[in-house]
């Protein structure tokens, strides 16, 4: 256990792509936590997917020893935070575990939407904030201007900003000194009842769920009986320890101010959720760390195995992923069109993509995903309120008193020049302006907008109309009634449950038109003409036709061609396996994402 | 086996769409080829029943010199009376004296690679001949008493298919092989970015059925039209998935297996240089079920269809009950006629053979 006065707990927060991970690597290198030989690009992003996508998905922590210029060796705990707006809550919990942050801003881009969102999160925790103007090696860098921007926007004097480059390592020493001198050591009484915050967890095959902790009060040691605050379950601690680059290290205990992990044979991820509090079973703390919210998915999609035989494998794979991901929820679902699968809940589209990609890559599953949908709520005429995870479950209109949809508070950060077109876009998306703030030459637009309207393509559209300059951040703000209808899709006269979607009544016609056109494009020609229709109730609102197939290959075929021809046909047969039969019509996987695509082309 | 295919791999030029086994002749190559071919034929001859059909394909068999042609066409294999002996030829390699020579060596049918009667199209295809040469070759071949088939490629960019088809009719050939250009991966056409155009091809084939049909040439196979009695008997053996022997580099044979549990064996010989070195053919055993799949794939290309009852008798497999539901669905779609123990594609079905074969294969698996 370490002398509290020599501990500094900090996080790095930044807008996506502002160089957070590279800077973290340089800090690791400078403290010789990782030798240059071991040094690998972006050390903290450990999942293969994280490195590929260049974003941090899970939080990670590492403990470094730093001998400062005053001759004292400090213990620095760096907690890395997820870098995407889908993971807002996870970021807030990681920030709860530290006393200070490095606010990293790109020296050419300047402040962006996530910079602001992260700043306010840090401010809420009353953290020491060290502004770092990063990427000063770039020719387009304008560090002084960005430092002034930070001063104007956040009130942190420009003189406090550190100019740095994760690429060249410039400024890293100054950052380390600032961490030691500007961030206060943690508080807390090691003798008090235990109060420790879970800021992340991992699953280990042998040890079960291993929570990552920040201890605020008291001390936890192997052999202690601990209790999880929200579930009330108790466990016996087998090992505790701290993080080392490239691994973990067991210690005698963790006490107030320290960051580490513990093993206690916890089997279910639900018993170690991010934000929950761990205390002693026999001498509990009087109040948990505030702000715990059980992970709640906001987007649902159907996942179905292409081969129905793979259903059990898919279930096992989802269960395995869930061990490491409390936000992932799933329930069995059966679709007339797609057979047996699961309705899976996610924190956002990125989370959905990641889960699907991991299922396909790590478990070798072939999946059909239906278009993700937000969670609607319906008040029925009987006064009941039900959550709708799947558009096809929307009750008959005669039973509906009111449909409610989730709203977000959206903040868009943009150069002045694009304010007009962005406001127009938000108008189209049924947004309501709440505020418009000037930060130097940049404008922050704050809107309340239905979550469904920004789910699929909003970010892409925002980027394209602002030539890449605008950025966004959002948070969920609850449900509001809307004039919403269910649109059914019929293929060759047959209603396809997996293609149904919910839309605002005024937009339903246009979206329906796009969806049927897209479907007519992706459904291969069959031996007969196929009608694709969209309907609200029994009223057809859009229609397109897939023309009948007239010919396939008209090549010659003689004795020497038998083997080759057979292979060609075998390949076609394999291709057909990836099609799903809806009645007599064979539909490719991508058809089930037509709703998503339709939105992308307005 | 009463059918034999002989592969002659030499070509004067290699067409930019070709992915068959074809090579340019180099010094000594043809002599070495003929020597090995004669040895193969000698090994085959003692056990032979007389041939009903013999087919020299390529490559361009007619490209050989006269003395080489004599050796090629005198392999000493017994022929049945009235046997069909076909040779593939390019217009530029035929003249009156060579035609007379071929006739005297027993060839009675020529398959001439015309492709088109339009010079810009021929140039685009990289062919060595022009329309005038094609007219002359066809006329002289007919005069010399050969049964003549011509190859036409339909659906090419810049081609007037109607004109090509009407020229074929006017010349009075009894057989036309019409096919669309397949841009095979790796061929110069594919590398030049040429793409197939299904709609243009479908229109061209509809024209072929109308124009050739009017002239009495029936579409008896997906890509072949013939006056009744003028069908390519050798190729019909392939489409009926009968047995045939093969000689020469990269030639494939389909022979009775002579082993329990197997229906047939396919032997595919290696390409020229490995074949010259004496490398034996690759063998692919064909179990009864595989034979049925192949017989469906090939037979459904023809207007006579597939004799399912005959297949049941030959393989001992129960097929009809398994195939019938799928066949009836295809019949409802207007693509297939389901007769007594026979599956026969309709005229529309011939354009959609893949769509016929795949569900029937599926029904068997």
């Amino acid at each position: 256990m370490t002398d509290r006065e020599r501990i500094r707990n900090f996080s790095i927060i930044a807008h996506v792509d502002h160089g957070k991970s590279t800077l973290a690597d340089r800090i690791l290198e400078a403290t010789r936590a990782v030798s240059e030989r071991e040094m690998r690009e972006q050390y903290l992003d450990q999942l293969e997917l994280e490195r590929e996508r260049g974003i941090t998905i899970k939080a990670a922590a590492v403990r470094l020893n730093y001998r400062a210029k005053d001759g004292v060796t400090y213990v620095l705990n760096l907690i890395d935070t997820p870098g995407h707006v889908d993971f807002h809550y996870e970021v807030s919990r990681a920030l709860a575990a530290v006393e200070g942050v490095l606010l990293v801003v790109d020296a050419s881009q300047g402040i962006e939407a996530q910079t602001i969102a992260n700043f306010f999160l840090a401010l809420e925790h009353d953290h020491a904030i060290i502004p770092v103007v990063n990427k000063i090696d770039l020719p387009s860098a304008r560090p002084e201007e960005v430092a002034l921007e930070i001063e104007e926007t956040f009130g942190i004097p420009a003189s406090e900003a550190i100019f740095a480059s994760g690429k060249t390592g410039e400024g890293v020493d100054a950052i380390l000194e600032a961490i030691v001198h500007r961030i206060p050591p943690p508080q807390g009484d090691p003798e008090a009842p235990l109060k420790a915050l879970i800021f992340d967890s991992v699953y280990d095959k042998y040890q079960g769920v291993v929570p990552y902790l920040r201890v605020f009060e008291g001390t936890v040691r192997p052999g202690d009986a601990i209790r999880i605050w929200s579930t009330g379950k108790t466990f016996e601690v087998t090992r505790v320890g701290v993080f080392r680059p490239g691994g973990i290290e067991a210690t005698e205990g963790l006490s107030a101010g320290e960051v580490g992990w513990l093993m206690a044979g916890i089997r279910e991820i639900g018993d170690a959720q991010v934000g929950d509090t761990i205390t002693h079973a026999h001498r509990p703390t009087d109040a948990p760390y505030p702000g715990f919210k059980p992970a709640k998915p906001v987007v649902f999609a159907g996942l179905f195995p292409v081969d129905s035989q793979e259903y059990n494998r898919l279930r096992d794979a989802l269960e395995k992923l869930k061990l490491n991901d409390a936000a992932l929820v799933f329930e069995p679902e059966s679709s007339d069109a797609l057979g047996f699968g699961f309705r899976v809940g996610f924190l956002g589209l990125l989370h959905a993509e990641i889960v699907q990609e991991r299922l396909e890559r790590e478990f070798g599953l072939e999946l059909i995903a239906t278009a993700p949908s937000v969670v609607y709520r319906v008040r029925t005429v009987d006064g009941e309120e039900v959550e709708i995870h799947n558009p096809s479950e929307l009750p008959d209109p005669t039973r509906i008193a009111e449909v409610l949809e989730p709203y977000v508070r959206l903040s868009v950060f943009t150069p002045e020049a694009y304010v007009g077109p962005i406001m127009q876009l938000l108008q189209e998306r049924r947004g309501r302006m709440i505020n418009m703030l000037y930060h130097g030459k940049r404008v922050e637009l704050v809107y309340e907008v239905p979550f469904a309207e920004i789910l699929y393509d909003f970010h892409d559209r925002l980027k394209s109309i602002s030539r890449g300059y605008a950025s966004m951040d959002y948070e969920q703000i609850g449900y509001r009634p809307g004039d919403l209808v269910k649109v059914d899709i019929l293929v060759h006269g047959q209603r396809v449950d997996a293609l149904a979607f919910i839309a605002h009544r005024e937009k339903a016609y246009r979206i329906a038109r796009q969806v049927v056109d897209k479907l007519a494009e992706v459904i291969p020609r069959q031996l007969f003409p196929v009608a694709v229709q969209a309907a609200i109730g029994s009223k057809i609102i859009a229609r397109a036709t897939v023309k009948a197939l007239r010919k396939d290959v008209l090549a010659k075929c003689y004795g020497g061609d038998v083997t080759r021809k057979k292979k060609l046909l075998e390949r076609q047969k394999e291709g057909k396996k990836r099609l799903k039969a809806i009645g007599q019509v064979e539909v490719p996987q991508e058809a089930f994402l037509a709703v998503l695509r339709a939105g992308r082309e307005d | 086996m009463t059918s034999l295919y002989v592969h002659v791999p030499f070509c004067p030029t290699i067409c930019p769409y070709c992915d068959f086994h074809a090579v340019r002749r180099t010094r000594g190559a043809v002599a070495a080829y003929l020597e090995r071919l004669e040895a193969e034929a000698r090994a085959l001859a003692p056990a032979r029943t007389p041939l009903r059909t013999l087919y020299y394909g390529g490559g361009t068999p007619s490209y050989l010199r006269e003395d080489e042609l004599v050796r090629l066409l005198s392999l000493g294999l017994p022929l049945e009376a009235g046997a069909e002996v076909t040779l593939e030829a390019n217009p530029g390699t035929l003249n009156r004296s060579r035609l007379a020579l071929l006739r005297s060596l027993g060839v009675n049918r020529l398959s001439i690679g015309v492709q088109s009667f339009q010079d810009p199209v021929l140039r685009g295809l990289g062919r060595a001949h022009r329309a005038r040469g094609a007219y002359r070759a066809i006329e002289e071949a007919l005069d010399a008493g050969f049964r003549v088939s011509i190859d036409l490629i339909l659906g090419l960019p810049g081609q007037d298919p109607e004109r090509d088809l009407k020229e074929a009719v006017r010349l009075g050939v009894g057989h036309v092989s019409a096919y669309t250009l397949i841009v095979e991966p790796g061929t110069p056409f594919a590398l030049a970015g040429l793409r197939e155009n299904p709609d243009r091809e479908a229109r061209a084939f509809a024209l072929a059925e109308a124009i050739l049909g009017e002239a009495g040439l029936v579409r008896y196979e997906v890509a072949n039209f013939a006056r009744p009695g003028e069908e390519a008997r050798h190729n019909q053996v392939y489409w009926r998935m009968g047995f045939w022997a093969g000689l020469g580099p990269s030639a494939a044979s389909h022979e009775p297996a002579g082993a329990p549990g197997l229906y047939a064996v396919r032997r595919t010989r290696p390409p020229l240089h490995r074949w010259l070195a004496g490398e034996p053919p690759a063998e692919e055993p064909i179990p009864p079920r595989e034979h049925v799949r192949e017989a469906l794939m090939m037979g459904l290309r023809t207007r006579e269809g597939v004799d399912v009852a005959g297949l049941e008798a030959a393989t001992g497999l129960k097929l009809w009950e398994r195939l019938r539901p799928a066949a009836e669905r295809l019949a409802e779609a207007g693509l297939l006629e389901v007769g007594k123990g026979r599956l026969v594609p309709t005229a529309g079905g011939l354009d959609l053979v893949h769509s016929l074969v795949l569900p029937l294969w599926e029904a068997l698996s």
Side-chain angles (χ1 to χ4, degrees), chain B residues 43-84:
Chain B
L44 201 66
R48 284 224 65 83
T49 44
L51 293 172
R52 262 179 230 161
T53 71
L54 170 57
Y55 194 103
Y56 292 92
T60 312
S62 62
Y63 174 52
L64 298 193
R65 290 200 305 257
E66 291 192 5
D67 59 322
E68 293 163 347
L69 277 174
V70 172
R71 283 177 72 185
L72 177 73
L73 297 168
S74 315
L75 291 174
L77 299 164
L79 294 177
E80 221 179 69
E84 177 189 273

Side-chain angles (χ1 to χ4, degrees), chain A residues 363-403:
Chain A
F363 298 90
L365 290 158
E366 267 190 84
L367 300 174
I368 294 182
T370 64
S373 167
V374 303
V375 179
Y376 294 93
R377 281 188 193 157
V378 170
R379 289 207 186 99
T380 64
V381 285
D382 318 325
E384 252 186 296
E385 190 169 313
V386 285
E387 275 200 352
I388 303 294
H389 291 170
N390 180 347
S392 72
E393 288 167 357
L394 197 74
D396 189 83
T398 56
R399 289 198 47 232
I400 297 177
E402 200 172 32
V403 184

Side-chain angles (χ1 to χ4, degrees), chain A residues 310-376:
Chain A
E310 298 269 36
Y311 175 82
N312 287 332
R313 282 223 308 131
L314 174 57
R315 189 195 51 217
D316 294 348
L318 282 166
E319 270 165 9
K320 281 217 179 90
L321 286 188
K322 184 163 175 53
L323 291 173
N324 222 338
D325 186 349
L328 183 69
V329 301
F330 57 94
E331 57 203 22
E333 176 173 75
S334 94
S335 151
D336 299 337
L338 298 174
F340 291 101
F342 295 90
R343 180 108 316 228
V344 187
F346 306 99
L347 293 176
L349 278 199
L350 177 73
H351 188 215
E353 276 174 39
I354 289 165
V355 168
Q356 199 186 334
E357 225 171 298
R358 291 187 66 186
L359 288 169
E360 295 192 334
R361 236 195 252 189
E362 292 167 32
F363 298 90
L365 290 158
E366 267 190 84
L367 300 174
I368 294 182
T370 64
S373 167
V374 303
V375 179
Y376 294 93

Side-chain angles (χ1 to χ4, degrees), chain A residues 527 549-559 562-566 568-570 572-573 576, chain B residues 19 179-180 182 201 205 224 235 238-239 266 290 293-294 297-298 301 335 351-355:
Chain A
L527 297 177
L549 178 69
R550 278 183 58 205
K551 72 168 258 298
D552 42 39
V553 181
L554 297 171
K556 52 185 176 176
C557 180
Y558 301 120
V562 179
T563 307
R564 162 159 64 167
K565 189 81 179 170
K566 214 162 65 178
L568 176 77
L569 275 164
E570 295 287 1
Q572 280 192 12
K573 197 171 135 213
K576 273 187 182 282
Chain B
D19 75 333
Y179 50 97
T180 57
I182 304 295
E201 291 163 4
F205 258 77
N224 285 280
N235 291 341
Y238 299 147
W239 298 322
R266 176 165 20 253
E290 200 54 32
R293 282 156 55 86
E294 292 179 357
M297 177 182 90
M298 297 300 275
R301 297 180 61 89
L335 301 179
D351 281 338
L352 292 164
V353 173
H354 291 191
S355 308

